[in-house]
């Protein structure tokens, strides 16, 4: 006789599946549901600060780009204020600044990109100060649980060296996997941040 279970069975794991874009970015899947795609406007037109572009690809364990990725983005404004109820200074956030976005990779090239303002440093625990950064959440087919990581800026070396989260990473040689590289394109700053899911130089992901 099978032993009776006095608890609910665990739900089977599910990857993001082929319908993630229909549900979260329907315009990219060919469904014109919204006049403006939800989450594409991160900073708004009036937020002060340096306007930047962030771009990259997500690379799998074979070195190939993953072309069906969805990323969610969270960040502070140029003064380090999050437009979020848990930030006690949220009323000071820049006009029209949302600090949240949703972007997808190009289905042909795997490139993802978004435009925003460069965030400022934000308060950390116990009086510490976190370096300017952008938080990312990554989902795609084959990823059972969304992956959390952070993007820091290579021109903030002094702040990065003191950042409490970067300093929690035991293997110092892996910290550079979270640093985006700055270049200029047509007079505007572009930060390149490739995310490696496996293999050499695998990006650091956080268990949240």
């Amino acid at each position: 006789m099978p032993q009776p279970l006095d608890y609910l069975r665990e739900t089977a794991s599910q990857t993001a599946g082929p319908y993630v874009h229909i549900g979260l970015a329907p315009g990219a899947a060919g469904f014109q549901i919204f006049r403006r795609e939800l989450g594409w406007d991160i900073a708004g037109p009036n937020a002060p600060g340096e306007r930047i572009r962030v771009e990259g690809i997500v690379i799998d364990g074979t070195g190939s780009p993953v072309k069906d990725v969805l990323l969610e983005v969270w960040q502070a404004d140029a003064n380090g204020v999050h437009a979020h109820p848990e930030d006690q200074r949220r009323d000071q956030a820049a006009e029209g600044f949302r600090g949240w976005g949703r972007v997808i990779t190009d289905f042909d090239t795997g490139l993802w990109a978004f435009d925003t303002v460069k965030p400022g440093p934000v308060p950390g625990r116990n009086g510490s100060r976190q370096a300017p950064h952008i938080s990312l959440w990554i989902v795609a087919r084959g990823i059972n649980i969304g992956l959390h990581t952070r993007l820091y800026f290579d021109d903030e070396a002094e702040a990065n060296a003191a950042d409490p989260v970067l300093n929690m990473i035991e293997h110092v040689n892996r910290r550079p996997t979270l640093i985006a590289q700055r270049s200029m394109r047509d007079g505007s700053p572009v930060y390149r941040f490739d995310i490696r899911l496996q293999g050499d130089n695998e990006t650091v992901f956080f268990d949240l």
Side-chain angles (χ1 to χ4, degrees):
M1 292 291 293
Q3 181 179 355
L5 297 177
D6 57 359
Y7 56 87
L8 297 176
R9 294 181 179 179
E10 181 179 356
T11 302
S13 296
Q14 298 287 335
T15 67
Y19 303 110
V20 63
H21 297 93
I22 296 175
L24 299 179
F31 295 89
Q32 302 304 318
I33 298 175
F34 307 112
R35 281 184 296 177
R36 192 154 122 195
E37 198 76 74
L38 179 65
W40 283 17
D41 186 7
I42 298 174
N46 301 319
E50 182 182 27
R51 293 278 163 170
I52 63 173
R53 183 174 181 83
V54 180
E55 63 181 30
I57 57 175
V58 178
I59 303 168
D60 67 15
T62 69
S64 301
V66 184
K67 299 178 180 179
D68 63 348
V69 178
L70 182 142
L71 302 95
E72 289 196 352
V73 181
W74 293 270
Q75 68 165 92
D77 67 11
N79 294 317
V81 178
H82 285 94
H84 189 278
E86 292 187 6
D87 192 326
Q88 296 181 355
R89 304 170 300 154
R90 63 186 179 276
D91 293 338
Q92 303 172 27
E95 177 188 356
F97 180 82
R98 295 185 64 184
W100 173 83
R102 182 179 286 156
V103 296
I104 62 170
T105 51
D106 182 275
F107 293 146
D108 294 322
T109 66
L111 182 72
W112 57 268
F114 59 88
D115 299 309
T116 185
V117 296
K118 188 178 179 183
V122 300
R125 294 180 178 177
N126 302 319
S128 64
R129 197 164 181 79
Q130 299 183 52
H133 66 274
I134 295 174
S135 296
L136 300 170
W137 180 68
I138 304 117
V139 292
R141 281 183 287 184
I143 298 177
N144 287 332
I145 300 175
L147 302 174
H148 296 266
T149 191
R150 278 188 173 193
L151 177 160
Y152 291 85
F153 302 91
D154 68 341
D155 52 344
E156 298 284 351
E158 184 176 345
N160 291 342
D163 182 83
V165 176
L166 278 174
N167 283 305
M168 287 175 58
I169 300 172
E170 180 180 0
H171 301 289
V172 177
N173 63 317
R174 296 197 62 205
R175 295 177 188 175
T177 66
L178 302 185
I179 309 298
Q181 304 299 313
R182 180 185 175 110
S183 63
M184 298 298 293
R185 183 185 302 158
D186 299 326
S188 299
V190 178
Y191 288 90
R192 179 77 181 200
F193 187 67
D194 292 336
I195 300 168
R196 289 175 168 79
L197 300 178
Q198 292 178 315
D200 293 340
N201 295 317
E202 177 183 330
T203 299
V204 171
F205 300 106
F206 298 101
D207 186 9
L208 301 181

